[in-house]
Amino acid sequence: MISIAELDQGYEMVKTKFSKPFVYEATGCLHRPGNDIKALFNYINSNIAEGEDIEVYSCWDGEEDREKEDRLDFFIDIKALQLGKHVKLDKKKSIDEIAGMFYFEERQLVKIRK
């Protein structure tokens, strides 16, 4: 189960990782494929408009000021059914496929487009 809430003031330094003005905190078991990844992507798919994108940055609590690992930057296009550069998703099962293959690495920025 994931939870999404406004960013606590104690974590303001993480805002430097994003190009977007609004930053929220998502918590859950997002460091391995599974139900929390599925819940997050279902939430994203249901709450952003077609053509919009969202950024998700992962880090451990207390490590928000550490440098982002640029080599881990990743892109997921839900509408185009593209996971990264090389994986094409099935239209009817795309969220399930993402949940079965994808997880967030530490200090990774993921851009997701719908």
Side-chain angles (χ1 to χ4, degrees):
M1 183 171 151
I2 63 163
S3 66
I4 298 174
E6 288 188 37
L7 187 67
D8 186 287
Q9 285 184 327
Y11 299 106
E12 289 289 316
M13 74 284 291
V14 80
K15 287 185 171 185
T16 63
K17 311 297 191 267
F18 299 94
S19 67
K20 306 291 184 186
F22 301 104
V23 178
Y24 295 87
E25 180 180 9
T27 57
C29 186
L30 304 173
H31 62 279
R32 65 173 188 248
N35 289 334
D36 286 0
I37 294 288
K38 183 176 181 177
L40 177 63
F41 278 87
N42 277 326
Y43 178 86
I44 291 168
N45 196 36
S46 296
N47 288 283
I48 67 171
E50 194 169 304
E52 286 188 332
D53 59 82
I54 188 170
E55 297 170 336
V56 180
Y57 178 72
S58 64
C59 66
W60 292 107
D61 188 25
E63 296 187 358
E64 294 81 7
D65 60 343
R66 291 189 62 197
E67 286 296 316
K68 174 176 86 64
E69 288 285 348
D70 292 335
R71 65 182 176 77
L72 297 176
D73 286 0
F74 199 75
F75 183 72
I76 298 171
D77 192 323
I78 295 172
K79 183 179 179 190
L81 303 170
Q82 192 70 40
L83 179 67
K85 294 179 182 179
H86 305 290
V87 178
K88 211 56 171 146
L89 301 168
D90 181 279
K91 186 173 186 169
K92 294 180 182 178
K93 299 185 274 183
S94 62
I95 301 298
D96 287 332
E97 288 179 321
I98 292 169
M101 291 187 274
F102 181 77
Y103 61 92
F104 289 91
E105 296 189 54
E106 186 177 354
R107 299 187 338 257
Q108 179 183 35
L109 182 71
V110 177
K111 294 183 181 189
I112 304 159
R113 179 175 298 140
K114 179 176 176 189

